[in-house]
Amino acid sequence: TQLLEQSPQFLSIQEGENLTVYCNSSSVFSSLQWYRQEPGEGPVLLVTVVTGGEVKKLKRLTFQFGDARKDSSLHITAAQPGDTGLYLCAGSSNDYKLSFGAGTTVTVRA
Amino acid sequence: DTGVSQNPRHKITKRGQNVTFRCDPISEHNRLYWYRQTLGQGPEFLTYFQNEAQLEKSRLLSDRFSAERPKGSFSTLEIQRTEQGDSAMYLCASSLADPGQGTYEQYFGPGTRLTVT
């Protein structure tokens, strides 16, 4: 059972469209990370958010941490085929153990 | 900085055999973590070390599993008497535990894919 629920499970869009992935929990986290994972590889860290209400932008990616630090979202503007991958959110309520969601598989069609 | 490395990348073994995986963390990182990921799921925490001390083990880590980090650098994860249910991707991550920073970002290796036949 995953502590974090991600939605949607799958997302397929055309190049140039926008997308949003959601990560929800009933638990409060001291920090939350977003990773992207490609088949056969390990997750690659995209961002860490630690403050409720925090918004971080990395080029076309915007990450938001909920005010209550229980949920987060990832928004991609003008998606490109290179954005294709499995997006994982992971929360920590201590300083060592990450609890992951099951992930959202994003496919961007050229 | 070469990142976290793991060997082997793939391992196929027969049920009942023992296997050992190695993880080399980012050189200045004092924490090392092991996770397991099965198809369609996110990684699940198995255990972690701070320097050479193993500080927590998940209930997922049965007594057939043992992890070591003898000199506080690389780590090994051994599975004895493998079962088909052990088939998964085994991921290693490392981080720099710095109380002054307040965050402990974990960087993952490429993983070892284990298939038990």
Side-chain angles (χ1 to χ4, degrees):
Chain A
T1 303
Q2 308 281 167
L3 196 59
L4 285 160
E5 297 292 329
Q6 288 190 241
S7 61
Q9 188 176 358
F10 299 97
L11 194 55
S12 180
I13 60 170
Q14 201 69 33
E15 182 176 5
E17 294 181 338
N18 302 334
L19 69 97
T20 302
V21 175
Y22 300 93
C23 175
N24 295 291
S25 176
S26 57
S27 301
V28 176
F29 294 106
S30 56
S31 69
L32 191 139
Q33 284 82 38
W34 283 93
Y35 291 84
R36 182 170 68 208
Q37 185 176 25
E38 301 197 7
E41 299 295 329
V44 174
L45 181 65
L46 297 175
V47 78
T48 298
V49 286
V50 297
T51 305
E54 181 176 4
V55 176
K56 279 192 174 179
K57 292 189 177 183
L58 295 174
K59 297 183 180 178
R60 295 177 293 102
L61 278 60
T62 302
F63 304 86
Q64 186 163 4
F65 201 13
D67 291 341
R69 289 184 289 130
K70 293 182 179 181
D71 55 86
S72 181
S73 64
L74 157 60
H75 182 79
I76 301 179
T77 303
Q80 300 175 358
D83 297 324
T84 293
L86 176 67
Y87 288 82
L88 293 160
C89 65
S92 178
S93 54
N94 48 45
D95 68 353
Y96 58 91
K97 184 191 302 185
L98 290 179
S99 297
F100 281 84
T104 295
T105 299
V106 171
T107 303
V108 182
R109 304 184 304 274
Chain B
D1 182 4
T2 57
V4 179
S5 61
Q6 293 187 244
N7 289 288
R9 293 292 312 275
H10 304 275
K11 179 70 177 178
I12 300 174
T13 191
K14 292 185 177 180
R15 186 165 51 96
Q17 297 294 305
N18 299 342
V19 294
T20 300
F21 310 140
R22 177 179 169 126
C23 171
D24 287 88
I26 293 172
S27 57
E28 65 269 26
H29 285 183
N30 53 359
R31 284 193 175 175
L32 186 148
Y33 312 79
W34 286 99
Y35 291 81
R36 181 171 69 188
Q37 185 177 24
T38 54
L39 202 60
Q41 299 296 318
E44 294 177 292
F45 172 84
L46 293 179
T47 188
Y48 91 105
F49 294 82
Q50 177 145 330
N51 300 314
E52 65 275 9
Q54 187 173 18
L55 298 185
E56 180 161 328
K57 295 195 295 186
S58 161
R59 286 172 294 173
L60 292 174
L61 216 62
S62 76
D63 54 9
R64 296 183 298 105
F65 289 69
S66 62
E68 294 182 343
R69 194 183 184 199
K71 297 183 179 179
S73 56
F74 73 91
S75 175
T76 58
L77 177 68
E78 181 183 17
I79 309 174
Q80 296 183 326
R81 305 180 304 280
T82 53
E83 302 172 356
Q84 287 187 320
D86 297 332
S87 294
M89 173 80 92
Y90 289 85
L91 293 162
C92 174
S94 69
S95 72
L96 179 62
D98 180 351
Q101 289 285 338
T103 59
Y104 303 86
E105 294 180 332
Q106 297 184 22
Y107 296 87
F108 283 80
T112 295
R113 168 73 66 189
L114 173 65
T115 303
V116 181
T117 61

